[in-house]
Amino acid sequence: MQSACQPDAVLVLGMHRSGTSAATGAPERLGLHLGDRLVPAAEDNPSGYFEHADAVALNEALLDAMDRSWDDIRALPDGWLALPAADAARARIRTDMLPALSANAPWALKDPRLCRLLPLWRIVLEESGVRVAALLVVRHPDEVSASLLARDRMPPTISRILWLRHVFESVRSSVGLPRAVLNYAALLEAPTSLLSAVGERLGLQLPATAPQMALDEFLKRDARHHAACNDPPPTDEWHALSLRTYSELTAIEPDWRRMDALYQEFCRLQQQAANWIELTGAVLRAADVRRRSLAERALAREAQLDAALQTVTAQALERLETMRALRADLDATQIALEQVKAQALERLETMRGLRLQLDATESLSLERLAGLERVSREYAEATQALERAEAKRAEVEATLVRVSERLARIETSWWWKAAQSVRRLLRRGG
């Protein structure tokens, strides 16, 4: 059945690791706007999460205020919609998010936490006049369980209870909305036809020519790392209920009354295991708080190390500049020394010539004797100049020794070695 009019917003509802990223990324390529601030891709989801960063932060903060985490199998506290944290979340949605999203309708919003927090979002959107539709993304519970076991080491029983809670809460909270169920396995097999059928059910005006190649490239089948067998034998009551629920949801036309009966079965099992569920949820919550605390400390430590590295780098560059200045002074001193040596050698050569002329002359006139005296005086002056040059040379050599010793100390210092390491890193990075 097609919706009467195109919705302004599509809320993508699905358990973690259920293919909601693929289900959201594909419609984006068919015209749905996802916002400009998306959570970046990561190692466990290289194609991208397609989650609005502000919405994720808001939902995470609201769960945190209720002493819950994304993997908490406990029910939300009674009356949580009346909590101050819920009021603050509603205000943020209205003022900080809706104006930007509504400017690019139709838009889609995906965050697995929406399965549990849909009542709050639905109130705000409907009060703001936004026409809302729900897209329920479903993946086989055994595949979700295998994915969570591989990524988070989550025990299968906990992941199945979590899957059931997300499914039932999203189904019950979306009653009365235009909604469609999208099977993750079917999406990978025939993305274009399935999205067209979903778009028709939700009333979306999808492009006339769906980009089949672009969808096939985005929805790579090798991204499905965990595939369940067709008819797995149930291992316990939770497993059996998850398999029946999955079978009902992925039927051609889900029977929502049958889903109500399955939910009653979930409530019965939940009541039987109430104490265990509360204790397990509290343990998971404590582990999540501890995990985030350690992550924050690691980030703070990384920032401190980065600041220290920047300080050491600045000091190393400053000392390198000082060394370059000392090298320049040393080069200038060496040039001056070479000039003094050249002048001394020139004067010594003149003195040797005069000495030869003096030896060759046997008889000298008074005038020659006077000239000889002048030459002798010049010789004495030259000798003094040579002595001064020698003294200058000795002084320069002593300066060179001190500078060499200082350079040796610099080159063996820790900051010089740090600067060398930074220089090698910079050359590698370049």
Side-chain angles (χ1 to χ4, degrees):
M1 180 184 296
Q2 184 172 348
S3 178
C5 59
Q6 174 166 298
D8 301 313
V10 176
L11 300 182
V12 181
L13 308 173
M15 166 65 183
H16 300 268
R17 312 306 294 171
S18 287
T20 52
S21 297
T24 311
E28 182 196 32
R29 283 155 173 75
L30 299 178
L32 288 173
H33 181 69
L34 299 180
D36 300 323
R37 288 174 41 79
L38 298 183
V39 175
E43 184 178 352
D44 65 327
N45 204 341
S47 297
Y49 291 94
F50 299 95
E51 295 175 358
H52 197 293
D54 293 338
V56 172
L58 181 147
N59 290 337
E60 189 68 31
L62 181 54
L63 286 174
D64 197 53
M66 293 186 286
D67 193 32
R68 296 293 188 271
S69 302
W70 70 270
D71 57 351
D72 203 318
I73 59 175
R74 295 174 293 179
L76 296 182
D78 292 337
W80 66 272
L81 282 170
L83 293 174
D87 292 336
R90 282 192 287 267
R92 282 190 56 195
I93 294 171
R94 286 193 191 93
T95 59
D96 298 344
M97 296 187 60
L98 269 185
L101 289 171
S102 298
N104 295 280
W107 50 271
L109 196 67
K110 172 252 172 178
D111 178 11
R113 299 163 188 82
L114 282 173
C115 293
R116 311 205 63 187
L117 302 176
L118 178 59
L120 180 139
W121 281 85
R122 183 172 176 178
I123 289 172
V124 176
L125 296 179
E126 291 179 346
E127 287 178 350
S128 302
V130 177
R131 296 187 298 271
V132 184
L135 177 60
L136 280 65
V137 181
V138 183
R139 185 180 184 183
H140 196 290
D142 286 0
E143 295 181 6
V144 174
S145 179
S147 180
L148 287 172
L149 179 63
R151 190 190 73 171
D152 303 304
R153 299 182 180 178
M154 182 179 289
T157 299
I158 292 178
S159 62
R160 286 163 186 153
I161 296 174
L162 198 62
W163 184 90
L164 287 165
R165 188 170 292 285
H166 278 69
V167 167
F168 284 126
E169 291 189 9
S170 61
V171 167
R172 292 174 65 80
S173 298
S174 61
V175 171
L177 294 177
R179 60 183 175 181
V181 177
L182 190 151
N183 186 347
Y184 175 65
L187 176 66
L188 296 182
E189 293 297 329
T192 303
S193 59
L194 184 60
L195 287 176
S196 296
V198 166
E200 181 180 1
R201 178 173 288 276
L202 297 181
L204 290 172
Q205 302 295 324
L206 298 180
T209 56
Q212 175 70 47
M213 188 175 298
L215 285 177
D216 289 342
E217 176 64 22
F218 176 73
L219 298 170
K220 295 179 179 177
R221 296 185 187 182
D222 59 5
R224 187 185 183 186
H225 302 296
H226 306 280
C229 59
N230 292 330
D231 192 18
T235 57
D236 55 32
E237 289 186 290
W238 294 110
H239 190 195
L241 179 58
S242 67
L243 294 177
R244 294 202 306 273
T245 302
Y246 176 76
S247 176
E248 184 59 50
L249 274 177
T250 54
I252 297 177
E253 286 292 337
D255 186 340
W256 301 111
R257 287 178 298 181
R258 175 62 183 156
M259 285 296 297
D260 287 338
L262 292 171
Y263 173 68
Q264 295 305 318
E265 176 68 12
F266 173 75
C267 291
R268 183 186 67 79
L269 292 176
Q270 181 181 224
Q271 184 63 33
Q272 289 179 353
N275 292 335
W276 178 83
I277 288 176
E278 286 298 317
L279 180 59
T280 302
V283 170
L284 290 172
R285 169 62 178 168
D288 182 70
V289 171
R290 175 64 175 166
R291 195 162 47 239
R292 283 191 289 171
S293 175
L294 291 175
E296 290 172 0
R297 277 195 230 166
L299 289 174
R301 180 60 178 163
E302 184 179 350
Q304 290 176 350
L305 292 175
D306 185 61
L309 179 60
Q310 291 179 1
T311 300
V312 170
T313 302
Q315 292 175 348
L317 292 174
E318 182 180 353
R319 294 187 181 184
L320 282 173
E321 188 62 32
T322 301
M323 289 172 55
R324 279 194 291 269
L326 289 173
R327 177 63 68 181
D329 290 343
L330 181 61
D331 292 342
T333 302
Q334 188 67 34
I335 292 172
L337 178 61
E338 293 297 329
Q339 291 175 346
V340 170
K341 285 182 177 180
Q343 291 174 358
L345 290 174
E346 183 181 355
R347 291 189 180 185
L348 282 174
E349 189 63 32
T350 300
M351 287 169 58
R352 280 194 291 270
L354 291 173
R355 177 65 69 182
L356 289 174
Q357 291 179 12
L358 182 61
D359 292 342
T361 304
E362 295 181 357
S363 59
L364 297 172
S365 61
L366 292 175
E367 183 180 352
R368 292 281 182 91
L369 287 173
L372 182 57
E373 290 175 356
R374 287 194 301 273
V375 169
S376 296
R377 287 194 300 272
E378 290 178 358
Y379 174 75
E381 292 174 357
T383 301
Q384 292 174 358
L386 180 59
E387 291 173 353
R388 290 192 298 272
E390 288 297 328
K392 181 65 175 178
R393 182 182 64 78
E395 180 182 348
V396 169
E397 288 179 349
T399 301
L400 288 173
V401 170
R402 290 194 298 273
V403 170
S404 297
E405 292 174 348
R406 187 174 181 181
L407 285 174
R409 288 195 300 273
I410 289 173
E411 291 175 348
T412 58
S413 64
W414 68 268
W415 55 263
W416 172 264
K417 293 177 181 178
Q420 290 295 91
S421 299
V422 171
R423 186 180 292 109
R424 284 194 296 271
L425 289 175
L426 290 176
R427 283 199 296 266
R428 292 175 189 171

